[in-house]
Amino acid sequence: MKILITGGAGYIGSVLTPTLLAKGYEVTVLDNFMFRQNSLADCCQYDTFNIVRGDCRDESTIKELLHDTDVIIPLAALVGAPLCGRDQIGTQTINYEAVKLICDLASPEQRILMPVTNSGYGIGTSGKYCTEESPLRPISLYGSTKVNAERTVLERGNSITFRLATVFGMSPRMRVDLLVNDFVYRAFYDRAVVIFEGHFKRNYIHIRDVAKVFVHGIENFESMKDKSYNVGLDDANLSKLELCAEIQKYLPKFVYSEAPIGEDPDKRDYIVSNARILNTGFETDWSLGRGIKELIKGYTILRNTLYSNV
Ligand SMILES: NC(=O)c1ccc[n+]([C@@H]2O[C@H](COP(=O)([O-])OP(=O)(O)OC[C@H]3O[C@@H](n4cnc5c(N)ncnc54)[C@H](O)[C@@H]3O)[C@@H](O)[C@H]2O)c1
């Protein structure tokens, strides 16, 4: 089976791509390497790995790549509200229009599996479990372009979308801006965090379980298709304060306090039900605690010392 991944050199793609290659799939990655990342270097050993440096908005590139593809995984995006705020035209064209381009050009038999954010579930639903039927009403441009892309993919049919919780864990293209990764980094190096909206609840999922759910979706496509699935840890619908308490178990010197120093652009405060994906037979392997231990090892290696002698 041949798989095309746009944005496959990103945080998620750099774990998903080697996972698929190791399982014997033929994988082509299209990426513009906007972070100058070398995270797929280890994949080049596979004869079944192809790489294209290019832009996912380029019609002729996409047309050519679609000729020889069974499954399409669109990951390319400007990810997160701050980055999207800095490049709003890029956000609209990469996060939404490039996905629509794939939907327009792909044949009906080609399968699409795409991750989207679940930000926006929480508005006005504090304390209530959100299912896939709950309305998604994102506020930020990031959230709304992802929700529009999801609608386009599901309307096109022969597709699956995964509404991912906040992802955590180590990747060869690391992101320390994600909530768990960020807090563990600060706990490890600064021993302190000041939190805003500390009682707001979020949910979380390890990056290797994200790779696993894509494999699960590919392997069970016929029975799962034409639906969206929440993907998060069922036992980790935790507030930011509870997350800090969990981190403190592994880094006992860590201290945290709360102050009104910011606001979430998507006002996320919600608990999510993962019953639909669990009912398809999917199981997660990575608890929050296991991921925190992994991050502590990873941060012993990664250290931001560009402008310091320490
Ligand atoms: N990380 C999360 O918590 C999370 C949660 C929900 C959904 N997602 C979705 O997963 C996908 C991947 O996210 P990520 O965390 O790996 O982000 P990332 O920023 O690490 O990866 C994005 C990748 O897209 C590439 N890219 C950007 N613009 C491009 C363009 N015009 N043409 C080709 N490539 C381009 C970048 O070089 C990068 O490799 C995104 O669609 C994101 O919305 C992520």
Side-chain angles (χ1 to χ4, degrees), residues 51-69:
I51 187 88
V52 178
R53 184 183 281 267
D55 197 302
C56 63
R57 294 166 289 186
D58 187 66
E59 188 170 335
S60 57
T61 305
I62 294 291
K63 240 184 197 159
E64 198 179 321
L65 290 174
L66 284 180
H67 270 311
D68 206 19
T69 294

Side-chain angles (χ1 to χ4, degrees), residues 10-12 31-32 37 55-56 75 142 146 167 173 175:
Y11 173 68
I12 291 176
D31 204 292
N32 65 357
Q37 65 269 43
D55 197 302
C56 63
L75 299 182
Y142 171 62
K146 293 298 294 183
V167 185
R173 138 75 187 144
R175 284 186 58 195

Side-chain angles (χ1 to χ4, degrees), residues 5-22:
I5 310 182
T6 72
Y11 173 68
I12 291 176
S14 300
V15 171
L16 176 59
T17 304
T19 302
L20 293 170
L21 287 166

Side-chain angles (χ1 to χ4, degrees), residues 168 180 184 246-247 250 288-296:
F168 64 96
V180 179
V184 175
E246 186 68 19
I247 295 170
Y250 301 90
L288 193 57
R290 186 176 174 206
I292 292 169
K293 283 196 277 185
E294 179 203 31
L295 286 167
I296 290 169

